[in-house]
Amino acid sequence: MRLDIAIIGSGFSALSAACYLAKDGHDVTIFEKNKTIGGRARQLKKEGFTFDIGPTWYWMPDVFERFFADFGKQPSDYYLLEKLNPAYSVYFGKDDFITIEDTLEKICKTFEKEEPGSSQKLKKFIANAQHNYDVAIKDLVYRPGVSPFELMTPVTIKKLDQFFSTIKKDVRKEFKNDRLAKILEFPVLFLGAKPDNTPSFYSFMNYADFGIGTFHPKKGMYEVILAMEKLAKSLGVNIKTETSVDKILITDGKATGIVSKGDTYTCDIVLSGADYHHSETLLDKKYRQYSEAYWEKKVFAPSSLLFYVAFDKKLKNVNHHTLFFDVDFEVHAKEIYDTPKWPENPLFYASFPSLTDKSVAPVGQEAGIFLIPLAPGLEDTEELRTLYFDKIIQRFENLTSQNVKNNIIFKESFCVKDFIEDYNSYKGNAYGMANTLMQTAFLRPKLKSKKVNNLYFTGQLTVPGPGVPPSLISGKLVAELIKKHHTLKAHESAI
């Protein structure tokens, strides 16, 4: 049965769902509030520089390959992918850093040099992480979060202890060197929670890091969005930009359309890839599944203060991805999760894509992206943004032994207020809801509304969770759920 489907938003999950639904023969229209598509994965272009506004890490290439393969395509049909070497470096002090290269063998040598005997432990740790990756990324995350029994397989039952221990506990048990432990704890930050609140099973992120590696799409992560747009349009998807949705229409307990700028669009199904909390505010209160108290109690991934900086010279002593762990991570983590406030001494991350990709900055110049993780919901002022830019640039200059502040052509910033204004993000969160034990799989907000028929959700606040690969998967899961429910309905009608 051919259905008219309205999709709110055009991020990774919405575009993914649109492609699958169009492939199934439905009429799909995307409604995007901003001028350009991509959701959080938009792009800033200015004075010859190109910056990814959102995600900058390309991990789990197999998930992207699996997505495009579902349509008889491959990533290389749309964009060029380069494996980074080194993958990234981590600063712990002035001129004091550890570089993570592009193979496990090289990384083992780095670990051994830092802590004799650690390479064998690392191989064992990554072997377990790889097994978890095979279980999770090739199977479990492709389940819709409908029932707790989805997690109960012969393999996961054997690994039950890994759902009740934590990444931090496992890492610190094996690695006594604090610097190496921090590097192993770092990948789970992509899941939006502290290592001591993330189940051991999520060590599959370490395999994504050390076992598979870090990649860069030429011209930036936005190339993936453009690839998905091209695919979607080839399948017949209609995309409307600058078309914000003001209300989801309900008739007799069923979603029947949306209202945008006073215009009504009728449809058979509404699917929101926008922020889940915001999506429910488009409904009358009686149709909302989750109360304000529900959202307030949830553990949200951090927000971010981001700077997009153009330098008039090439920088030294940095890699494409560079992490700055020269301050106490525990203190900063508490200032995000436990007692939310602006951090006294924040960790920060920097990306310099122009070191790899000549297309993103003029010759002899550098594009830099700086990110400070923050608690969502904080006060956000220009004065605070300036204060924190000065803080991290001063540290950056000291740690990397170079002067850069007088070489800045321009800088743009993005923070809590922008996440709220541009993406209707709950409290200005950047990554959605954290993947803690009590917010995993069936314990996350549902893909299908429990109160309204024909209303569905996708994205980082539902299953599987935060991150680009999970968002691609989320789009597939909701499309499959729609197909299942409406094939069943058509069958019942025929009977």
Side-chain angles (χ1 to χ4, degrees):
M1 182 170 65
R2 194 178 186 91
L3 301 168
D4 276 320
I5 301 176
I7 297 182
I8 304 170
S10 66
F12 282 108
S13 58
L15 285 171
S16 170
C19 290
Y20 285 108
L21 292 166
K23 182 188 173 191
D24 286 340
H26 303 304
D27 293 319
V28 180
T29 303
I30 287 174
F31 296 84
E32 168 57 53
K33 74 184 283 286
N34 293 312
K35 288 182 181 179
T36 57
I37 65 163
R40 285 164 166 80
R42 293 182 299 150
Q43 206 171 49
L44 168 66
K45 289 192 171 189
K46 185 174 177 179
E47 297 179 29
F49 291 84
T50 301
F51 303 90
D52 282 313
I53 291 177
T56 55
W57 292 77
Y58 192 106
W59 272 6
M60 304 184 188
D62 50 314
V63 175
F64 295 85
E65 289 163 9
R66 186 166 170 176
F67 169 77
F68 285 109
D70 284 341
F71 303 92
K73 301 289 186 181
Q74 50 192 356
S76 59
D77 292 330
Y78 300 98
Y79 55 88
L80 296 174
L81 205 57
E82 179 179 349
K83 188 173 186 181
L84 296 181
N85 186 30
Y88 56 90
S89 56
V90 185
Y91 269 89
F92 295 97
K94 183 175 172 61
D95 301 322
D96 176 17
F97 56 89
I98 292 176
T99 297
I100 300 301
E101 294 183 81
D102 62 339
T103 68
L104 182 57
E105 186 181 347
K106 292 176 188 174
I107 297 166
C108 282
K109 288 179 181 176
T110 299
F111 268 55
E112 191 66 25
K113 187 177 176 184
E114 185 73 18
E115 180 186 329
S118 63
S119 61
Q120 289 306 312
K121 292 178 182 177
L122 180 62
K123 286 175 184 174
K124 186 178 176 184
F125 185 83
I126 296 300
N128 180 64
Q130 180 176 2
H131 191 254
N132 287 351
Y133 190 92
D134 290 340
V135 173
I137 304 303
K138 295 178 182 178
D139 181 18
L140 289 186
V141 294
Y142 285 91
R143 301 184 183 197
V146 173
S147 161
F149 295 108
E150 291 172 6
L151 295 178
M152 305 305 285
T153 70
V155 175
T156 56
I157 288 169
K158 289 179 184 175
K159 288 179 171 283
L160 212 52
D161 60 318
Q162 292 192 36
F163 286 93
F164 296 98
S165 185
T166 68
I167 289 288
K168 181 167 185 174
K169 189 175 178 182
D170 286 6
V171 167
R172 298 283 170 170
K173 184 171 68 179
E174 297 295 335
F175 299 90
K176 304 309 175 190
N177 182 293
D178 185 58
R179 291 143 61 96
L180 298 183
K182 282 177 178 172
I183 290 172
L184 286 167
E185 289 167 356
F186 140 72
V188 301
L189 299 180
F190 286 112
L191 302 171
K194 293 190 295 184
D196 61 1
N197 201 22
T198 302
S200 302
F201 185 71
Y202 285 104
S203 69
F204 63 71
M205 294 295 290
N206 294 107
Y207 177 70
D209 181 3
F210 287 3
I212 303 175
T214 304
F215 296 77
H216 172 74
K218 189 171 183 188
K219 298 184 184 176
M221 286 291 288
Y222 197 66
E223 288 300 298
V224 186
I225 291 291
L226 295 177
M228 296 178 76
E229 177 190 34
K230 190 173 181 180
L231 175 61
K233 286 183 173 178
S234 75
L235 294 163
V237 175
N238 181 24
I239 300 175
K240 295 176 179 286
T241 53
E242 296 183 270
T243 312
S244 59
V245 173
D246 307 310
K247 191 170 180 63
I248 297 172
L249 298 174
I250 310 298
T251 307
D252 298 328
K254 184 167 73 173
T256 53
I258 59 162
V259 177
S260 173
K261 297 181 177 178
D263 294 326
T264 297
Y265 297 85
T266 59
C267 61
D268 300 303
I269 287 174
V270 175
L271 165 60
S272 184
D275 176 275
Y276 206 123
H277 170 269
H278 168 73
S279 300
E280 288 220 313
T281 67
L282 303 178
L283 298 163
D284 292 335
K285 268 194 175 179
K286 63 181 178 178
Y287 296 122
R288 298 174 192 173
Q289 306 168 89
Y290 305 108
S291 66
E292 288 299 317
Y294 169 90
W295 295 111
E296 191 64 40
K297 288 175 185 173
K298 292 298 166 187
V299 179
F300 271 80
S303 184
S304 299
L305 170 54
L306 289 137
F307 296 101
Y308 312 100
V309 188
F311 296 96
D312 67 7
K313 68 174 184 179
K314 300 300 288 183
L315 303 188
K316 61 182 183 179
N317 302 329
V318 289
N319 286 311
H320 184 123
H321 296 299
T322 308
L323 303 160
F324 294 86
F325 285 6
D326 56 305
V327 297
D328 193 325
F329 171 78
E330 295 293 336
V331 173
H332 188 175
K334 284 176 183 173
E335 292 165 334
I336 294 174
Y337 295 100
D338 303 333
T339 52
K341 62 179 180 177
W342 280 85
E344 191 70 31
N345 292 300
L347 284 78
F348 66 98
Y349 151 72
S351 172
F352 303 97
S354 46
L355 289 172
T356 302
D357 189 342
K358 293 177 182 177
S359 72
V360 302
V363 176
Q365 301 184 349
E366 207 86 271
I369 302 166
F370 295 81
L371 181 153
I372 302 172
L374 297 173
L378 294 182
E379 177 190 20
D380 172 16
T381 66
E382 287 303 319
E383 291 77 16
L384 280 166
R385 295 187 190 198
T386 300
L387 172 68
Y388 277 83
F389 183 73
D390 291 341
K391 273 190 178 195
I392 63 169
I393 283 296
Q394 185 176 346
R395 269 174 50 206
F396 178 82
E397 288 184 323
N398 177 56
L399 292 166
T400 63
S401 298
Q402 62 188 317
N403 296 317
V404 301
K405 197 166 186 180
N406 294 331
N407 298 98
I408 294 171
I409 302 168
F410 68 82
K411 69 173 170 65
E412 302 280 348
S413 64
F414 200 95
C415 197
V416 174
K417 284 196 300 190
D418 302 298
F419 280 103
I420 294 169
E421 185 177 330
D422 288 6
Y423 312 130
N424 295 307
S425 169
Y426 180 71
K427 291 188 175 181
N429 79 81
Y431 310 110
M433 191 185 287
N435 260 340
T436 62
L437 177 62
M438 298 309 293
Q439 294 181 175
T440 291
F442 66 96
L443 296 171
R444 298 180 72 81
K446 302 301 181 189
L447 291 167
K448 184 180 186 298
S449 173
K450 296 176 286 188
K451 289 193 173 183
V452 179
N453 286 325
N454 295 5
L455 175 60
Y456 297 82
F457 304 86
T458 187
Q460 56 189 8
L461 267 71
T462 181
V463 291
V468 177
S471 293
L472 290 178
I473 296 166
S474 186
K476 180 174 185 172
L477 293 177
V478 76
E480 288 176 342
L481 211 55
I482 289 170
K483 184 177 183 178
K484 178 184 174 183
H485 288 154
H486 291 274
T487 300
L488 184 63
K489 281 184 184 178
H491 178 68
E492 288 171 349
S493 298
I495 294 171

